[in-house]
């Protein structure tokens, strides 16, 4: 097992948005890592990495539909300046779940990249990506399903007319009592949703409205809404999961680009301070970003109430993990209540 600290030179990492025109949608950019990866906490033993830019489905759809062209050009220019390899692996994997003909949609994306942005992919790379999407999409869908169930739990507490501390406390108690996965990223995001609801003045109106939308319950559209929000969250899991490529024995440092304002909120409030690599699997250690609006309030509350799962380990539990079934059962109960 190897532990990598992602704390080196955080001031060099840009977090923000590309918003060149009023008639276009902004693109939120940044790295979920706090800083660059190193083998020591001081950051003196930085490791060599490939540098990636992971696109979400919103950005891929902008490209495919020839929308937001000014912002897309600026995004690709920025990626080129930072020498980032653009990868659609997360967004296209979601498209393989949600699109009626994902293969055709992917080819259209490649075509528009070539025609409008002169960004060409070799045929062998297109074939490799297609194989990757086909192979890994079921796993990504399974992981997205875990977040879909977690969102039901988060919404349950979000809707309560309780003070912030009680929501965090009872959320943590339920996670431990019902023995569901202690997914730090999902748990912390739930706490941030609670915080935004209680402190709307600390955020833009767009963020407040998007949180309200993410956390609303719409019986006729609930299943689609849950999967869409869960897919947005998966964008932030990908940099940790893609950190080590055991087949090539290479490390990847990733930025993300998203057309979803929730991405701007998560980038400003959460980050990975460590990544643990064990048995060719990566585990991101998420925490609150120190300069985030919510950290001063939420850090002590989470430290006070959240307990680690007694089954916690840096090994892939797989489908036989009872906590996954516990989460599914809890989500079904809360939806039916």
């Amino acid at each position: 097992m190897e532990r990598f600290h992602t704390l080196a030179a955080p001031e060099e990492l840009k977090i923000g948005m590309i918003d060149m025109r009023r008639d276009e949608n902004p693109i939120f950019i940044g790295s979920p890592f706090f800083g660059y990866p190193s083998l020591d906490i001081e950051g003196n033993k930085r490791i060599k990495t490939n540098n990636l830019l992971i696109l979400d489905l919103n950005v891929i759809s902008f490209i495919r539909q020839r929308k937001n062209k000014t912002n897309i050009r600026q995004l690709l220019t920025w990626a080129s300046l930072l020498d980032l390899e653009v990868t659609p692996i997360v967004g296209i994997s979601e498209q393989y779940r949600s699109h009626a003909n994902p293969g055709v949609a992917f080819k259209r994306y490649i075509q528009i990249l070539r025609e409008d942005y002169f960004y060409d992919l070799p045929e062998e790379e297109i074939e490799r990506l297609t194989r990757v999407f086909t192979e890994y999409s079921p796993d990504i869908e399974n992981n997205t399903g875990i977040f879909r169930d977690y969102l039901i739990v988060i919404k349950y507490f979000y809707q309560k007319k309780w003070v912030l501390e009680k929501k965090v406390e009872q959320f943590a108690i339920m996670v431990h009592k019902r023995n569901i996965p202690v997914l730090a990223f999902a748990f912390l995001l739930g706490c941030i949703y609670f915080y935004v609801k209680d402190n709307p003045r600390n955020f833009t109106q767009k963020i407040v409205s998007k949180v309200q939308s993410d956390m609303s319950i719409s019986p006729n559209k609930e299943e689609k809404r849950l999967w869409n929000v869960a897919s947005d969250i998966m964008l932030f899991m990908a940099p940790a999961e893609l950190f080590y490529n055991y087949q090539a024995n290479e490390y990847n440092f990733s930025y993300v680009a998203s057309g979803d304002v929730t991405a701007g909120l998560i980038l400003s409030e959460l980050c990975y301070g460590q990544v643990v690599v064990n048995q060719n699997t990566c585990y991101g250690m998420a925490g609150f970003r120190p300069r985030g609006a919510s950290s001063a309030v939420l850090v002590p509350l989470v430290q006070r109430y959240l307990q680690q799962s007694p089954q916690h380990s840096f090994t892939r539990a797989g489908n036989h993990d009872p906590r996954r079934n516990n989460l599914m059962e809890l989500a079904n109960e809360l939806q039916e209540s």
Side-chain angles (χ1 to χ4, degrees):
M1 183 175 75
E2 286 188 287
R3 187 181 299 270
F4 297 86
H5 301 275
T6 51
L7 303 174
E11 69 281 356
E12 296 180 13
L13 303 186
K14 176 180 176 59
I15 294 177
M17 66 180 177
I18 296 173
D19 190 13
M20 307 294 291
R21 292 173 58 117
R22 289 187 178 181
D23 60 342
E24 292 191 358
N25 296 315
I27 299 173
F28 299 91
I29 58 173
S31 177
F33 297 117
F34 181 69
Y36 294 107
S38 63
L39 292 169
D40 63 333
I41 197 168
E42 294 82 10
N44 296 320
K45 298 180 180 179
R46 285 170 60 168
I47 64 171
K48 183 180 179 181
T49 61
N50 301 316
N51 299 314
L52 308 180
L53 174 63
I54 303 172
L55 307 182
D56 80 340
L57 185 54
N58 293 296
V59 174
I60 291 168
S61 296
F62 292 155
I63 294 171
R64 183 165 51 83
Q65 298 169 12
R66 287 184 156 138
K67 296 180 178 179
N68 263 29
K69 295 183 75 169
T70 301
N71 285 340
I72 293 295
R73 285 196 183 96
Q74 186 64 26
L75 173 67
L76 295 177
T77 299
W78 174 75
S80 178
L81 289 173
L82 270 65
D83 196 24
L84 305 179
E85 176 188 345
V86 178
T87 174
I89 185 169
V90 174
I92 295 294
S93 293
E94 180 187 348
Q95 190 167 264
Y96 265 66
R97 174 185 62 81
S98 60
H99 198 279
N101 200 329
V104 170
F106 178 52
K107 290 180 179 178
R108 173 70 173 172
Y109 160 79
I110 297 298
Q111 175 191 349
I112 302 305
L113 267 183
R114 183 181 297 123
E115 293 178 357
D116 290 9
Y117 304 103
F118 309 105
Y119 194 97
D120 201 5
L121 285 177
E123 193 61 36
E124 59 270 20
E125 177 65 8
I126 295 173
E127 293 176 0
R128 185 191 70 82
L129 286 172
T130 301
R131 289 195 302 270
V132 169
F133 301 146
T134 304
E135 180 180 353
Y136 288 102
S137 287
D139 286 341
I140 293 176
E141 181 172 358
N142 182 61
N143 290 336
T144 306
I146 295 175
F147 282 104
R148 175 258 182 212
D149 292 343
Y150 231 99
L151 281 169
I152 295 171
V153 182
I154 292 171
K155 286 188 179 188
Y156 172 78
F157 289 104
Y158 180 91
Q159 300 293 337
K160 294 290 186 183
K161 295 181 179 180
W162 294 342
V163 298
L164 176 62
E165 180 169 356
K166 185 174 181 181
K167 289 180 182 178
V168 175
E169 177 189 20
Q170 294 301 313
F171 187 16
I173 288 174
M174 180 175 282
V175 167
H176 188 74
K177 183 178 179 181
R178 296 298 296 267
N179 192 27
I180 68 174
V182 183
L183 298 177
F185 198 93
F187 183 88
L188 300 182
L189 179 59
C191 293
I192 289 169
Y193 279 133
F194 306 157
Y195 181 86
V196 173
K197 183 179 183 181
D198 275 24
N199 300 273
R201 294 183 180 180
N202 293 349
F203 302 91
T204 66
Q205 184 56 47
K206 285 186 177 180
I207 287 177
V208 173
S209 297
K210 186 57 167 58
V211 168
Q212 291 172 345
S213 176
D214 286 352
M215 292 288 100
S216 66
I217 298 175
S218 178
N220 295 331
K221 300 179 180 179
E222 186 65 5
E223 193 63 20
K224 182 178 180 180
R225 186 188 298 272
L226 286 168
W227 278 96
N228 286 343
V229 177
S231 295
D232 294 334
I233 297 172
M234 283 299 297
L235 178 69
F236 294 87
M237 301 299 294
E241 294 180 351
L242 297 175
F243 177 73
Y244 176 60
N245 181 344
Y246 70 91
Q247 293 175 329
N249 193 28
E250 295 176 340
Y251 296 94
N252 299 307
F253 179 84
S254 300
Y255 284 86
V256 297
S258 172
D260 188 343
V261 70
T262 301
L265 172 65
I266 300 175
L267 282 170
S268 67
E269 300 298 316
L270 292 178
C271 62
Y272 293 110
Q274 294 182 30
V275 180
V276 173
V277 179
N278 190 43
Q279 298 178 352
N280 300 327
T281 301
C282 303
Y283 303 88
M285 312 298 286
F288 293 106
R289 199 174 286 275
R291 293 188 179 181
S294 65
S295 62
V297 172
L298 292 179
V299 166
L301 293 181
V302 171
Q303 289 177 340
R304 187 178 307 157
Y305 296 118
L306 184 61
Q307 302 179 62
Q308 188 54 269
S309 169
Q311 294 153 344
H312 173 73
S313 66
F314 292 112
T315 57
R316 186 177 292 278
N319 294 329
H320 65 273
D321 187 346
R323 293 171 297 177
R324 175 70 182 101
N325 289 330
N326 294 344
L327 176 58
M328 293 174 63
E329 291 175 2
L330 175 59
N332 289 335
E333 288 178 21
L334 295 180
Q335 274 196 308
E336 294 171 0
S337 63

